[in-house]
Amino acid sequence: MTGKARSGKAVSGSLEQYRSKRHPDRTPEPMGSTSGRGGRRRFVVQKHAATSLHYDFRLEAGGVLKSWSVPKGPSTDPREKRLALRTEDHPVDYADFEGTIPEGEYGAGAVIRWDVGTYRNLAERGGKKVPVAKGVSDGHVKVWLEGEKLRGGYALTRTGPEGGKERWLLVKVKDEEADARRNPVNSEPASVRTGRTVEDVAEE
Ligand code: MN
């Protein structure tokens, strides 16, 4: 078996958990496909008013969106360590999703694209880049975000398990984009694509 065939199989397998939780005939969410394209990698932070409000932080890597649920959302202050619970890989086209997941379905509630952009991988070991998908399995991810609200370095570090989900911390790296006075989670609540808030989407 070639390395290529092996990795292709691993990628499609990583969406099984995502698909097993959803009914394609009842939810507007994409069932999605994996992506093999290289070049610029996308990131998205989706504000999700589910049973409890949280922010889903997703990085395109290995043909899927590697995902974490961040209850308090990302900070621009390097002193703020934000809990991030690892969730199942999502299809890459989920980055475009904004809408309402119907009552009774998994994750029911409004979702907006709170921030969207591209990122660069900053993780290196021994002078070599560590692929983001490998960093996720190893528990260390460092990226440079080029979003509309979030910019600069962010580090994700696994600190242990929690209730069957891996427990990570999401922290702003100290760099020229760090700003302890900004608090975009509070001051910039709307979708960067439609200008809607989760309340607007829920009412609609
Ligand atoms: Mn969510």
Side-chain angles (χ1 to χ4, degrees), residues 43-46 55-59 70 72-77 82 113-120 143-154 170-172 175 177-179 182-188 192:
F43 87 92
V44 63
V45 180
Q46 282 156 319
Y55 294 76
D56 290 299
F57 185 91
R58 310 188 198 279
L59 297 173
V70 185
K72 291 186 175 175
S75 177
T76 51
D77 181 351
R82 295 286 159 91
R113 287 162 290 178
W114 184 78
D115 200 13
V116 174
T118 57
Y119 78 90
R120 283 187 291 118
V143 290
W144 181 276
L145 302 182
E146 296 280 351
E148 294 183 29
K149 296 173 182 171
L150 302 179
R151 305 184 67 84
Y154 277 83
L170 172 64
V171 184
K172 177 76 195 76
D175 55 34
E177 300 290 353
D179 188 346
R182 269 185 77 206
N183 187 0
V185 162
N186 286 346
S187 61
E188 299 167 59
V192 294

Side-chain angles (χ1 to χ4, degrees), residues 26 35 51 112 129 141 144 170:
R26 293 185 218 157
S35 137
T51 313
I112 60 163
K129 279 269 186 280
V141 173
W144 181 276
L170 172 64

Side-chain angles (χ1 to χ4, degrees), residues 32-112:
S33 51
T34 58
S35 137
R37 76 195 171 86
R40 291 198 315 170
R41 298 284 182 82
R42 294 205 290 171
F43 87 92
V44 63
V45 180
Q46 282 156 319
K47 185 176 180 180
H48 185 184
T51 313
S52 51
L53 182 72
H54 60 273
Y55 294 76
D56 290 299
F57 185 91
R58 310 188 198 279
L59 297 173
E60 182 183 354
V64 294
L65 295 174
K66 297 292 177 188
S67 299
W68 293 262
S69 168
V70 185
K72 291 186 175 175
S75 177
T76 51
D77 181 351
R79 292 170 305 183
E80 286 282 328
K81 294 180 168 62
R82 295 286 159 91
L83 173 65
L85 298 168
R86 172 102 188 272
T87 54
E88 71 273 20
D89 295 345
H90 277 49
V92 286
D93 44 2
Y94 204 91
D96 300 319
F97 179 68
E98 179 168 308
T100 306
I101 303 169
E103 208 58 48
E105 296 306 302
Y106 177 74
V111 176
I112 60 163

Side-chain angles (χ1 to χ4, degrees), residues 19 21-31 105:
R19 292 189 182 119
K21 291 179 176 179
R22 288 168 176 80
H23 301 99
D25 50 334
R26 293 185 218 157
T27 177
E29 299 167 283
M31 281 306 116
E105 296 306 302

Side-chain angles (χ1 to χ4, degrees), residues 68 123 125 130-141 156 158 168:
W68 293 262
R125 198 177 299 138
V130 180
V132 172
K134 167 119 176 52
V136 173
S137 12
D138 292 350
H140 296 283
V141 173
L156 278 151
R158 186 165 57 214
W168 292 59

